[in-house]
Amino acid sequence: MALATFTLVACAASGTKIKTKPTPPEAAAHRGFYELGLVAQEDLGNPFFDTQTQIVFIRPNGTQVTVDAFFDGDKTFRARAYCDTTGLWRWRSESNRSTLHGKTGQFQVSPSALPGKLRIHPKDPRQMAYDDGRWFLHIGDTAYRYVVDAEPNWQAYIDQAAQVGFTKIRVWFARSRSFVEALLTEDRTGINLPYWQEMERRLLYALQHYPHIIFQVIPYAEDAPEVIRYGAGDRASRFIGRYAQARLSALPNVTWVMTNDLTITVPGSAPKGDWRDVDLSDVDQIGKDFRAREPWGTLLANHQARFTGNFFVDAPWSDLIVLEDLDQVDGRLILEYRKKRAQPVILDEDRYEKHRNPGAPRYFFRRLMWASILSGGHGTYGSNRMFEAFDGTPLRGIHGYMDLVRTGGLEQGAHDFVFIKKFFADAGLTTVGLSPDDNFVGAEPRKFKCLRNDNTIIVYSANPSGDDPRTDVPAWDPATVKMHLPDGAYRARWFDPSTGAWHEREDPISGRVALPPPPPTDLSSSNDWVLLLSRLTTNETSTERR
């Protein structure tokens, strides 16, 4: 990023001011962001509410995007562009302050290796991709307080999250348990700038070091009173959303979720009397306003209370279906919502290792993640009580995952997520164009999950010891996968999801088959497996037979 400047020099002979010699355009990276800064010379009054400044960015092809500039202290307003196109960009300013109005500039966007913003996949509306076209493998984590200034271990958290394999992190703006009062000054007449600047610093650190990690940012957190004030037209409540978008929407690693875990009252129903109660129309208004302002196509959604599904499936402003439930190891809720709308379906909360604890965390979360993926959806993990402030113990606040494992705070619940990435990388596969089909493997989704087309079949054999996901462990006896294959011959390969080891089956298979998994190779192996079947071409079949 770079700041645009306006340099004037005095002409010694006449005393008039002239522009300096033109300088080359400033540089920015494709799928990164560009920042410019304008400094006002006059009194601004209340710079948050009394000064309106917008920047019109003009892409090389002539299309225009208008964004709000945001006040950042010292009479400085900044504006950002998400650099989605290479070439020479231009900009101009429009403001109700004379020294901020009518400024112009340009910058050059050059090719880069950045993956860019998260988008809906162009070939499969239920999957996602980075802006550079690469498939997005969603391996989510919840770290609500990552951006909160009172959390000391934020850097260890994100450094270790990248090592574990997380690609999506859920964060919110609440410094207290659920409320966002820290975003505003105490008298609610402006933004608490140091707090916003620190939140931004942590997002920018992640962008610089791990540009493939996407943040699901929840500006209103679980603050029902703030949402209610928003619905009533409160100026400060509404300014939170506008300022958040002006400041952060251009960042490539940001997506938006309006609120989290609120109990939404729909027309005709009575409030439950819970401190999280809000009216559907209030949340819907936040979503509509975000959509109307959103300049860069940043994905939008909402997250509501556990067991209540998602009321915004048909909302024009919502891009994703976000869910919170419990024990979704058969993927049934993802499958249900896939039928409602062709959008990515994300299970963003289930159990946590230290909240609604499963008995065997490593197996539970491995099983949950594979079940979510093979249901055609996307799964999320959770570790400790990160919704509560850091208190020096492993139980609360933000900590590095591996630090928590080393100190006994966690029991390796996310240890096998790196092998999910390995599976798809080794196989050269994505889930794009594949459909869930549990009936293909016996219609027992708690035991067998299937995602397939006629050429590729992926089966997760969970092999649970019982019927209670909270206490299940892998059964001792191996589970045989039975299916009737489409016409043709297939190569079968077994993948151990707890070690990342592959086991090849030498002979091609076809027709009705019963496939027992290979025996475990060592004590680190588990007794759940992933089976990959790949259709052979005629030449491959002939080669196999020879």
Side-chain angles (χ1 to χ4, degrees), residues 491-494 502-506:
R491 174 183 289 115
R493 289 182 283 173
W494 291 94
W502 286 92
H503 300 263
E504 301 278 348
R505 181 186 174 106
E506 294 184 359

Side-chain angles (χ1 to χ4, degrees), residues 68-352:
D68 288 330
F70 61 93
F71 182 67
D72 203 29
D74 298 326
K75 292 192 173 183
T76 299
F77 285 79
R78 306 185 191 278
R80 290 168 173 165
Y82 172 62
C83 301
D84 53 16
T85 308
T86 57
L88 185 65
W89 288 54
R90 293 174 292 116
W91 61 266
R92 69 177 185 271
S93 66
E94 299 174 351
S95 179
N96 64 347
R97 303 296 181 187
S98 61
T99 60
L100 299 176
H101 182 74
K103 307 302 182 183
T104 61
Q106 58 186 17
F107 56 98
Q108 182 72 35
V109 176
S110 301
S112 82
L114 291 172
K117 275 191 169 292
L118 193 61
R119 307 296 193 192
I120 304 301
H121 200 288
K123 295 182 179 179
D124 188 337
R126 293 182 175 89
Q127 300 298 321
M128 293 173 282
Y130 295 106
D131 219 1
D132 68 354
R134 281 180 282 178
W135 173 61
F136 179 71
L137 174 57
H138 181 286
I139 301 177
D141 190 24
T142 298
Y144 287 131
R145 296 175 58 83
Y146 168 76
V147 296
V148 173
D149 57 1
E151 294 294 324
N153 296 327
W154 66 273
Q155 187 171 327
Y157 168 78
I158 194 63
D159 291 343
Q160 294 174 32
Q163 295 178 52
V164 170
F166 292 115
T167 60
K168 199 278 294 288
I169 312 293
R170 304 174 63 232
V171 302
W172 66 26
F173 286 175
R175 181 193 280 164
S176 56
R177 164 62 178 83
S178 301
F179 306 112
V180 299
E181 73 284 350
L183 296 176
L184 301 169
T185 57
E186 190 172 350
D187 62 3
R188 295 177 64 86
T189 62
I191 288 295
N192 177 2
L193 269 177
Y195 189 62
W196 285 85
Q197 289 164 343
E198 178 60 22
M199 292 193 299
E200 177 185 281
R201 185 171 77 92
R202 299 183 184 192
L203 292 172
L204 291 179
Y205 174 87
L207 178 62
Q208 179 182 0
H209 293 85
Y210 314 109
H212 67 287
I213 295 180
I214 300 296
F215 286 86
Q216 181 192 87
V217 180
I218 313 168
Y220 290 92
E222 296 176 350
D223 197 334
E226 199 67 71
V227 172
I228 293 169
R229 284 192 288 267
Y230 190 109
D234 181 84
R235 181 177 73 165
S237 296
R238 295 197 170 195
F239 190 70
I240 287 171
R242 178 177 290 277
Y243 190 84
Q245 281 182 286
R247 187 161 197 132
L248 301 176
S249 268
L251 271 57
N253 59 344
V254 164
T255 65
W256 296 111
V257 163
M258 306 298 102
T259 69
N260 187 79
D261 208 11
L262 296 182
T263 304
I264 295 177
T265 302
V266 299
S269 68
K272 295 182 178 180
D274 187 85
W275 64 272
R276 291 190 177 98
D277 282 352
V278 295
D279 193 85
L280 181 143
S281 63
D282 293 344
V283 177
D284 191 49
Q285 188 62 55
I286 298 175
K288 289 176 179 177
D289 291 346
F290 263 69
R291 174 58 67 201
R293 287 189 302 261
E294 177 50 48
W296 306 111
T298 307
L299 298 181
L300 310 178
N302 189 68
H303 177 124
Q304 62 195 58
R306 193 183 299 270
F307 306 129
T308 64
N310 189 297
F311 293 157
F312 300 100
V313 172
D314 296 322
W317 57 264
S318 181
D319 299 304
L320 311 169
I321 300 171
V322 176
L323 303 168
E324 177 181 356
D325 212 275
L326 204 63
D327 291 337
Q328 287 293 320
V329 295
D330 57 3
R332 63 189 181 281
L333 194 62
I334 290 175
L335 293 172
E336 175 187 336
Y337 273 85
R338 275 177 59 95
K339 297 176 183 177
K340 295 178 183 289
R341 189 174 180 184
Q343 286 186 339
V345 182
I346 304 171
L347 179 66
D348 253 344
E349 283 192 87
D350 199 285
R351 293 191 184 275
Y352 292 77

Side-chain angles (χ1 to χ4, degrees), residues 496-541:
D496 187 334
S498 63
T499 67
W502 286 92
H503 300 263
E504 301 278 348
R505 181 186 174 106
E506 294 184 359
D507 53 316
I509 59 174
S510 59
R512 293 188 180 275
V513 294
L515 302 173
T521 55
D522 54 53
L523 293 178
S524 65
S525 297
S526 189
N527 227 3
D528 55 326
W529 291 89
V530 181
L531 172 63
L532 173 62
L533 300 175
S534 306
R535 190 187 188 102
L536 297 170
T537 65
T538 302
N539 289 339
E540 287 175 321
T541 304

Side-chain angles (χ1 to χ4, degrees), residues 18-39:
I18 61 172
K19 291 185 179 180
T20 58
K21 182 179 179 180
T23 57
E26 295 178 278
H30 188 205
R31 296 182 297 273
F33 75 96
Y34 172 82
E35 177 181 297
L36 64 90
L38 303 176
V39 180

